[in-house]
């Protein structure tokens, strides 16, 4: 709402002198920057809105609350030194805010004085004018009163903000002092630990010097106590020297590795000592089985002592030792090497060598054990729809196979199939004429090979990629054959349970 300028109203010949007097009074008390009243507008709840102050700055109260929240959130994440610096910065900011509040308070007081003078001038003018000019004067007086009320409210808010700033400054000052105290306490504790470690080290060094200079040696108990003090001193010193702690960790790791190697060597020496003792008890045992009692390994008959007879051309026969000490002949296993298959798990193996007119028998130290993780591998394969292995055909009907290309050995729930690409070499359902077992012809790859007789007159020797695939294929085929009421074993094997 725009307040019109004051105009001269002449009632008689004496009004000119009165008007001049009024203007002199206004000019001596109030200095208007413009030639008219400010363009104030009355908003909701009779609040006076100044168009020039529509873009107000953020209130001081909101700034203080926002900074206080940020400081409280960061307080837990800061270190002692950083917390101290942050609090000092916050204290400086609070001081600036306090100074600004003082300036605003002074400006508010000046505004109150100005409004009071303006009200007095308007009252004087009201008594000297009449008609429409008197109504304008009443409206101006009401605007000034509303502005005074709003200014009083803002002054109250300013006083509250000033109190909050003082509280924040006091809090930041106290927090700064607390942070400084914590830093000093931590520094004092660290210095005390360092001095303690130095004193302990000096004490140990002095004791060592005395021990070197003395002609007699300490008793065992004193030496043990000295060692404890040395370890404690080293521990305290290492707490303040992380690089040496890492060096000690690497040294301990090297010592663990060395101990592990020495342990393996010790176990090997124990086994050799046990073999020597058995040899002394029975001098007729000139040979032994070399290999692990685990499925996937390969046994080989080797001489136990130097000067033992050459058996490379001697016939041999392998047996399974079943319950009661009875032996079961393994058909086709007539070489000096033999790779156990799943059918041998849980049983002892024996090899009999015909040396001239004598028979020499060697036996495994214990029953054959399953390979680690083999059963879980077989269970995971059984969940697949198609179980296939990459193989190479090494023999067909006992003769070497010319092609060394890769074939696919498919084991299904009803049949077994061998194919190369899209061409099927052999396919046969489970039946009593089918035979499947580990390769018994010896050789370095016997642990990865199987003998598969599809039917009478057709057999293959297949080499798998790993011994685990070979044993898993045998176990899977026998499980599926058992579901078809067929016992799938090797040539000449007697059914009595097993792998």
């Amino acid at each position: 709402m725009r307040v019109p300028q004051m105009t001269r109203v002449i009632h008689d010949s004496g009004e000119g002198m009165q008007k001049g007097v009024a203007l002199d009074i206004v000019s001596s008390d109030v200095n208007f920057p413009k030639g008219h009243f400010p363009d104030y507008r009355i908003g909701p709840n009779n609040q006076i809105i100044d168009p020039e102050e529509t873009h107000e700055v953020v209130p001081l109260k909101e700034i203080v609350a926002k900074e206080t929240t940020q400081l409280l959130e960061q307080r837990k994440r800061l270190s002692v030194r950083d917390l101290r610096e942050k609090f000092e910065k916050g204290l400086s900011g609070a001081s600036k805010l306090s100074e600004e509040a003082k300036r605003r308070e002074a400006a508010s007081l000046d505004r109150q004085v100005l409004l009071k003078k303006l009200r007095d001038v308007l009252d004087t003018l009201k008594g000297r004018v009449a008609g429409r000019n008197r109504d304008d004067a009443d409206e101006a007086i009401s605007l000034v009163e509303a502005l005074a009320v709003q200014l009083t409210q803002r002054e109250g808010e300013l006083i509250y903000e000033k109190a909050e700033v003082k509280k924040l400054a006091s809090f930041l000052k106290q927090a700064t002092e607390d942070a400084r105290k914590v830093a000093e306490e931590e520094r004092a504790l660290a210095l005390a630990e360092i001095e303690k470690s130095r004193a302990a080290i000096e004490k140990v060094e002095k004791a060592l010097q005395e021990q070197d200079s003395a002609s007699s040696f300490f008793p065992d108990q004193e030496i043990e106590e000295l060692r404890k003090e040395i370890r404690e001193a080293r521990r305290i010193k290492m707490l303040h020297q992380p690089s040496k702690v890492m060096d000690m960790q690497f040294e301990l790791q090297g010592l663990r590795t060395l101990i592990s190697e020495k342990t393996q060597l010790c176990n090997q020496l124990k086994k050799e000592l046990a073999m020597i003792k058995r040899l002394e008890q029975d001098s007729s045992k000139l040979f032994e089985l070399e290999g692990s009692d685990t499925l996937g390994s390969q046994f080989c008959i080797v001489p136990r002592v130097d000067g033992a007879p050459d058996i490379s051309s001697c016939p041999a026969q392998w047996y399974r030792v079943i319950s009661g000490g009875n032996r079961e002949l393994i058909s086709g296993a007539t070489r000096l090497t033999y790779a156990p298959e799943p059918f041998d798990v849980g049983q002892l193996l024996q090899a009999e060598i015909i040396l001239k007119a004598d028979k020499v028998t060697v036996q495994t130290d214990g029953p054959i054990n399953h390979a680690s993780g083999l059963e879980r591998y077989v269970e995971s394969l059984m969940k697949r729809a198609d179980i296939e292995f990459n193989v190479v055909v090494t023999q067909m009907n006992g003769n070497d196979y010319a092609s060394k290309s890769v074939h696919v050995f498919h084991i299904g729930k009803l049949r077994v199939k061998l194919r190369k690409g899209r061409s099927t070499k052999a396919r046969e359902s489970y039946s009593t004429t089918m035979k499947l077992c580990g390769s018994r012809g010896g050789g370095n790859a016997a642990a990865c090979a199987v003998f598969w007789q599809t039917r009478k007159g057709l057999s293959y020797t297949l080499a798998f990629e790993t011994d685990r695939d070979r044993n898993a294929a045998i176990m899977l085929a026998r499980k599926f054959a058992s579901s078809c009421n067929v016992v799938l074993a090797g040539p000449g094997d007697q059914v009595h349970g097993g792998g």
Side-chain angles (χ1 to χ4, degrees):
M1 178 177 179
R2 186 176 180 86
V3 181
Q5 297 182 0
M6 291 182 295
T7 58
R8 178 181 294 180
V9 179
I10 300 176
H11 295 280
D12 53 19
S13 60
E15 289 294 325
M17 185 179 295
Q18 294 177 358
K19 184 65 179 178
V21 174
L23 292 175
D24 291 337
I25 295 172
V26 173
S27 61
S28 62
D29 294 336
V30 182
N31 183 18
F32 291 99
K34 300 179 182 179
H36 56 82
F37 285 101
D39 295 333
Y40 292 109
R41 291 186 295 107
I42 298 177
N45 299 326
N46 294 325
Q47 293 183 355
I48 297 177
I49 300 175
D50 188 354
E52 296 180 356
E53 297 182 357
T54 53
H55 301 285
E56 295 182 355
V57 296
V58 181
L60 181 61
K61 181 179 179 181
E62 295 181 6
I63 296 175
V64 172
K66 183 177 180 181
E67 292 184 355
T68 304
T69 304
Q70 292 177 353
L71 287 174
L72 292 176
E73 290 178 352
Q74 295 178 358
R75 183 178 179 183
K76 296 183 180 179
R77 300 194 300 268
L78 295 176
S79 62
V80 176
R81 185 176 300 172
D82 294 338
L83 188 62
R84 177 182 173 183
E85 293 178 357
K86 292 291 183 180
F87 281 144
E88 290 178 352
K89 291 181 180 179
L91 184 60
S92 176
S95 300
K96 293 180 180 179
L97 292 176
S98 179
E99 293 176 0
E100 183 179 354
K102 290 179 180 179
R103 289 196 298 270
R104 290 191 178 185
E105 184 178 3
S108 176
L109 293 176
D110 293 340
R111 290 176 182 175
Q112 290 287 352
V113 173
L114 182 62
L115 289 175
K116 185 175 184 304
K117 290 182 178 181
L118 181 60
R119 171 64 185 273
D120 294 340
V121 169
L122 291 175
D123 288 339
T124 303
L125 290 176
K126 180 180 178 182
R128 294 178 180 272
V129 297
R132 184 177 180 181
N133 291 332
R134 186 180 184 88
D135 296 335
D136 293 339
D138 291 336
E139 186 176 359
I141 291 172
S142 64
L143 288 175
V144 170
E145 291 177 352
L147 183 61
V149 172
Q150 184 179 8
L151 191 60
T152 303
Q153 292 177 354
R154 294 187 62 181
E155 184 178 355
E157 293 178 356
L158 185 62
I159 293 173
Y160 177 76
E161 291 175 357
K162 182 179 178 181
E164 291 295 327
V165 170
K166 287 183 179 179
K167 289 182 182 179
L168 178 61
S170 176
F171 169 74
L172 291 174
K173 185 176 181 180
Q174 183 63 33
T176 304
E177 294 296 329
D178 293 342
R180 188 180 292 110
K181 289 181 181 180
V182 172
E184 294 298 332
E185 290 177 359
E186 293 293 333
R187 188 180 295 109
L189 291 175
L191 291 175
E193 289 291 334
I194 293 173
E195 292 298 330
K196 183 179 178 181
S197 63
R198 286 178 180 174
I201 292 172
E202 291 177 358
K203 182 179 179 181
V204 171
E205 290 178 350
K206 184 178 180 181
L208 289 175
Q209 291 176 359
E210 293 178 355
Q211 182 182 11
D212 294 338
S213 61
S215 58
S216 59
F217 57 91
F218 291 105
D220 294 340
Q221 185 176 2
E222 294 182 359
I223 292 176
E224 187 63 24
E225 292 178 357
L226 185 60
R227 288 176 179 173
K228 290 181 179 179
E229 292 181 359
I230 292 173
R231 288 195 294 267
E232 181 65 17
R234 287 178 178 174
R235 186 188 68 81
I236 296 174
K237 189 175 180 180
M238 291 304 174
L239 291 176
H240 303 282
Q241 296 181 359
S243 60
K244 290 191 176 182
V245 175
M246 295 178 64
D247 294 340
M248 290 292 291
Q249 290 177 352
F250 286 125
E251 185 177 352
L252 287 174
Q253 186 175 0
L255 290 174
R256 291 192 185 99
T257 304
L258 182 60
I259 290 173
S260 178
E261 294 176 355
K262 295 297 183 183
T263 303
Q264 294 179 0
L265 180 60
C266 181
N267 293 334
Q268 185 178 356
L269 291 175
K270 287 181 179 179
K271 291 177 67 176
E272 293 180 358
L273 181 61
M275 290 168 54
I276 292 173
K277 287 182 179 180
R278 289 199 303 267
L279 184 61
E280 291 177 353
Q281 295 174 359
D282 190 357
S283 59
S284 62
K285 293 185 178 180
L286 302 176
F287 303 94
E288 64 177 350
L289 289 179
E290 184 180 48
S292 175
D293 299 338
T294 305
L295 193 61
S297 64
Q298 183 171 335
F299 288 107
C300 182
I301 304 174
V302 296
R304 178 177 292 180
V305 294
D306 295 335
D310 184 16
I311 58 173
S312 58
S313 60
C314 296
Q317 180 60 56
W318 290 82
Y319 298 90
R320 297 187 187 94
V321 180
I322 58 179
S323 59
N326 298 324
R327 298 192 308 178
E328 175 187 329
L329 184 140
I330 304 176
S331 178
T334 58
R335 302 292 182 89
L336 297 179
T337 59
Y338 177 73
E341 60 153 287
F343 207 66
D344 300 324
V345 173
Q347 301 178 14
L348 296 172
L349 294 180
Q350 279 187 1
E352 190 176 78
I353 312 167
I354 301 176
L355 184 61
K356 296 181 181 179
D358 298 330
K359 290 184 178 181
V360 179
T361 303
V362 291
Q363 180 175 300
T364 56
D365 295 335
I368 304 300
N369 299 316
H370 265 301
S372 177
L374 179 59
E375 293 182 347
R376 290 194 299 271
Y377 179 55
V378 172
E379 291 177 359
S380 65
L381 290 177
M382 291 184 68
K383 297 178 182 179
R384 299 181 183 177
D386 294 327
I387 305 174
E388 295 180 344
F389 300 94
N390 293 330
V391 298
V392 175
V393 180
T394 59
Q395 289 185 347
M396 179 177 178
N397 294 330
N399 300 320
D400 292 340
Y401 198 71
S403 175
K404 299 298 181 182
S405 58
V406 178
H407 292 62
V408 176
F409 190 54
H410 175 86
I411 298 177
K413 296 184 178 181
L414 299 177
R415 63 178 61 86
V416 181
K417 180 171 60 176
L418 178 67
R419 60 181 176 84
K420 178 184 178 184
R422 296 183 179 180
S423 176
T424 300
K425 297 293 183 181
R427 180 173 58 187
E428 192 71 23
S429 300
Y430 297 111
S431 63
T432 55
T433 58
M434 181 183 293
K435 303 294 181 182
L436 182 67
C437 63
S439 177
R440 300 171 180 177
N444 296 329
C448 299
V450 299
F451 172 79
W452 178 42
Q453 177 182 310
T454 60
R455 59 181 181 273
K456 290 183 179 180
L458 181 59
S459 62
Y460 296 92
T461 300
L462 309 176
F464 286 73
E465 293 178 340
T466 61
D467 59 274
R468 187 176 74 160
D469 288 345
R470 172 251 204 182
N471 294 320
I474 296 174
M475 294 175 66
L476 286 169
R478 288 177 178 170
K479 287 180 180 292
F480 291 150
S482 177
S483 299
C484 298
N485 296 324
V486 175
V487 178
L488 193 59
D493 289 342
Q494 299 179 8
V495 180
H496 52 78

